[in-house]
């Protein structure tokens, strides 16, 4: 590790990948892969729920009136509980360690998803079937409240500062891998085994697949250890006496940072869940597209996103996070409504173009967030700040996006609702990003928001990536 801020002992060192020993590089790879594996399982779980909405509507809600809306509410309900999970698990991760909480979250997510596949149908036990589904979704949501934030913080604190964008993009590669795996599995089963088989009991199989995948991720995470950044903070006495102390200090000391993360996350998760989770339902129910066709189109878009996400993450290490995030926000602001009308054209090449517009700007967001969002908070409250801000925003306008869009479309008959919804959230996200420090290449160590010490670093001759924070 190299200390570029020589002569200023109070400035934390900036780590560079070239200075890491072979063992340290292996540790970075192992830590990133462990975080990515669990993240992929989490989003595989959410993905199969989205792609199996039609079957869940039929079997769990018995094709009752508004069954699709109830099923989408089942998706949304886990997000409503996520802030509680974030408020409990985030501060706990800052208190006892990130790795311990991550082991717990992946275990609970995997078990609750597996149990959805075991649920008795509406015909067998009536309304107890959806009640059990909502209960399992609440368990998922509570656990997920600490999962993604913990995985991103864990990755960010292990990655060298000058390559955090590159390594962080692997976490979102895992997200797309999980969603793509869900899309490929459900689409292949539907096309290969037939609608009758899927409607009989085949819809349960994707939920069962979660258990062995989750056990594999659990095994990987059980072998991980805490980052030097966390251990140094703990040794310096910066760790709080209790998880509640972490939460209290976060709210009192970092209210602006909480608002900043919430502003961007409103866009990120609205785009994420509308494009990758709600879109199959939208294409089939609102635009009356064949399920196999829509599934194949979405899989294609996701595979292209997976191919470019790591190069975009690496690019952010060279030019900064803010230029890419600002471009993505403007893209959603201007392009969302036209993209929806392209989807409504009924012409497959134009529909693919519409999905591609969403995919391009979404992957620009995803490639950056795992490196950007943890850097909005200092080490002692990083997990808590990420988890609380991320999950409040997600529960309000992210995971509930599919439910509210479907509700508005049914009430108004206006098929362009998702486009306007995304444009509004893009405006909020843009305002938030314009207030961010540039954090590419900055240190995450210490009790300071990364980027707040830019002027001190310039004073001792450091070269910094991107726009320098001049607020000091």
């Amino acid at each position: 590790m190299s200390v570029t801020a020589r002569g200023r002992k109070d400035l934390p060192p900036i780590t560079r990948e070239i200075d890491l020993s072979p063992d340290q590089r292996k540790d970075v790879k192992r830590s990133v892969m462990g975080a990515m594996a669990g993240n992929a399982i989490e989003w595989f779980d959410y993905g199969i729920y989205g792609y199996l909405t039609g079957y869940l509507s039929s079997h769990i809600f018995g094709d009752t009136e508004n069954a699709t809306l109830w099923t989408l509410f089942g998706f949304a309900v886990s997000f409503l509980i996520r802030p509680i999970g974030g408020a409990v698990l985030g501060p706990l991760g800052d208190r006892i360690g990130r790795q311990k909480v991550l082991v717990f979250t992946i275990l609970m997510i995997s078990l609750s998803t597996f149990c959805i596949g075991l649920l008795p149908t509406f015909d067998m036990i009536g309304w107890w079937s959806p009640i059990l589904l909502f209960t399992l979704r609440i368990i998922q949501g509570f656990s997920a409240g600490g999962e993604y934030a913990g995985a991103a913080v864990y990755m960010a604190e292990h990655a060298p500062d000058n390559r955090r964008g590159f390594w962080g993009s692997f976490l979102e590669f895992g997200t797309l891998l999980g969603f793509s795996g869900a899309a490929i599995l459900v689409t292949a089963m539907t096309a290969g085994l037939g609608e009758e088989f899927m409607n009989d009991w085949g819809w349960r199989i994707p939920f069962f697949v979660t258990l062995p995948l989750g056990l594999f991720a659990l095994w990987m995470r059980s072998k991980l250890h805490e980052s030097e950044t966390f251990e140094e903070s703990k040794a310096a006495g910066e760790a709080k006496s209790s998880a509640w102390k972490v939460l209290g200090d976060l709210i009192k000391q970092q209210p602006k940072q909480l608002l900043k993360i919430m502003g961007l996350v409103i866009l990120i998760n609205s785009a994420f869940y509308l494009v990758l989770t709600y879109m199959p339902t939208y294409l089939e129910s609102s635009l009356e597209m064949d399920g196999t066709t829509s599934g194949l189109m979405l899989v294609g878009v996701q595979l292209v996103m997976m191919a470019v996400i790591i190069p975009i993450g690496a690019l952010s290490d060279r030019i900064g996070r803010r230029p890419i995030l600002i471009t993505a926000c403007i893209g959603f602001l201007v392009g969302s409504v036209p993209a929806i009308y392209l989807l409504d054209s009924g012409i497959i090449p134009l529909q693919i173009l519409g999905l591609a517009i969403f995919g391009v700007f979404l992957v620009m967001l995803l490639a950056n967030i795992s490196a950007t969002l943890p850097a909005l908070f200092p080490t002692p409250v990083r997990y808590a700040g990420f988890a609380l801000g991320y999950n409040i925003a997600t529960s309000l306008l992210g995971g509930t996006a599919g439910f509210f869009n479907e509700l508005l479309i049914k009430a108004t008959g206006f098929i362009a609702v998702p486009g306007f919804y995304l444009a509004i959230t893009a405006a909020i996200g843009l305002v938030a990003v314009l207030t961010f420090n540039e954090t590419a290449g900055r240190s995450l160590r210490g009790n300071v928001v990364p980027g707040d010490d830019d002027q001190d670093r310039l004073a001792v001759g450091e070269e910094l990536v991107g726009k320098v924070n001049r607020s000091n």
Side-chain angles (χ1 to χ4, degrees), residues 17-40:
E17 191 169 60
I18 195 172
D19 297 318
L20 301 183
S21 68
D23 285 342
Q24 287 174 318
R25 293 184 185 185
K26 288 181 181 178
D27 181 59
V28 170
K29 292 178 182 178
R30 185 165 52 247
S31 300
V32 171
M33 293 304 108
M36 185 187 81
N39 202 47

Side-chain angles (χ1 to χ4, degrees), residues 33-328:
M33 293 304 108
M36 185 187 81
N39 202 47
I41 304 306
E42 177 190 357
W43 299 114
F44 176 83
D45 297 349
Y46 280 94
I48 57 177
Y49 190 99
Y51 279 93
L52 294 170
T53 293
Y55 300 106
L56 292 170
S57 298
S58 175
H59 291 281
I60 304 301
F61 294 92
D63 276 332
T64 55
E65 186 178 1
N66 296 322
T68 299
L69 274 175
W70 278 112
T71 308
L72 289 172
F73 179 74
F75 186 86
V77 74
S78 72
F79 290 88
L80 298 176
I81 203 70
R82 283 179 73 145
I84 299 175
V88 173
L89 298 175
L92 190 63
D94 283 322
R95 172 68 182 136
I96 68 172
R98 289 77 159 106
Q99 185 264 352
K100 294 181 180 67
V101 175
L102 287 174
V103 167
F104 169 80
T105 57
I106 195 60
L107 178 63
M108 297 306 296
I109 289 171
S110 301
L111 288 175
S112 55
T113 305
F114 172 78
C115 288
I116 292 177
L118 299 175
L119 286 177
T121 65
F122 188 90
D123 291 339
M124 297 169 70
I125 60 172
W127 283 100
W128 281 108
S129 185
I131 289 172
L132 289 173
L133 174 66
F134 291 158
T135 301
L136 292 172
R137 293 291 296 168
I138 287 170
I139 295 172
Q140 280 182 317
F142 180 86
S143 305
E147 165 59 32
Y148 177 69
V153 167
Y154 187 84
M155 176 286 307
E157 291 182 345
H158 276 83
D161 296 319
N162 72 324
R163 294 275 279 170
R164 194 160 51 246
F166 170 76
W167 288 112
S169 62
F170 277 90
L171 193 62
E172 295 307 321
F173 179 89
T175 297
L176 293 173
L177 181 64
F179 258 95
S180 298
I184 292 168
L185 178 60
V186 174
T187 302
M189 287 182 65
T190 304
L193 301 175
E195 187 69 27
E196 184 177 351
F197 172 81
M198 290 296 293
N199 197 52
D200 185 17
W201 65 275
W203 63 273
R204 299 179 182 272
I205 294 176
F207 292 106
F208 294 153
V209 171
T210 299
L211 187 60
L213 293 177
L215 291 175
F216 174 72
L218 180 65
W219 172 77
M220 290 187 68
R221 286 187 171 181
S222 67
K223 296 182 176 296
L224 301 179
H225 58 78
E226 297 295 346
S227 68
E228 289 183 12
T229 301
F230 175 77
E231 295 292 1
E232 288 172 3
S233 177
K234 189 175 181 180
E238 294 171 346
K240 309 300 180 183
S241 58
S242 71
W244 295 114
K245 174 68 172 169
V246 175
L247 186 61
D249 285 355
L250 168 69
I251 295 172
K252 288 187 294 184
Q253 297 172 10
Q254 304 293 340
K256 291 182 180 178
Q257 298 305 104
L258 283 171
L259 290 175
K260 290 178 184 180
I261 191 173
M262 289 169 64
L264 180 57
V265 169
I266 283 172
L267 168 60
I268 292 169
N269 279 340
S270 294
F272 187 90
Y273 291 109
L274 284 180
V275 175
L276 298 184
T277 301
Y278 171 66
M279 195 56 65
T281 301
Y282 175 73
L283 293 175
E284 294 172 36
S285 66
S286 296
L287 302 187
E288 299 180 351
M289 184 182 293
D290 172 71
T292 300
T293 302
S294 65
L296 289 173
M297 288 171 56
L298 286 164
V299 167
V301 170
Q302 290 175 44
L303 291 177
V304 173
M305 290 171 67
M306 290 172 66
V308 302
I309 191 168
I310 294 174
I312 294 174
L315 177 65
S316 76
D317 288 322
R318 296 194 295 273
I319 69 172
R321 324 282 188 227
R322 294 178 81 254
I324 299 175
L325 290 173
I326 290 171
T327 301

Side-chain angles (χ1 to χ4, degrees), residues 274 332-333 335-338 340-341 358 405 408 414-427:
L274 284 180
F332 274 114
L333 181 62
S336 293
V337 174
I340 286 293
Y341 282 112
F358 286 135
N405 274 261
L408 289 170
F414 186 46
I415 58 93
V417 166
F420 285 96
Y421 189 99
L422 283 173
I424 292 170
T425 60

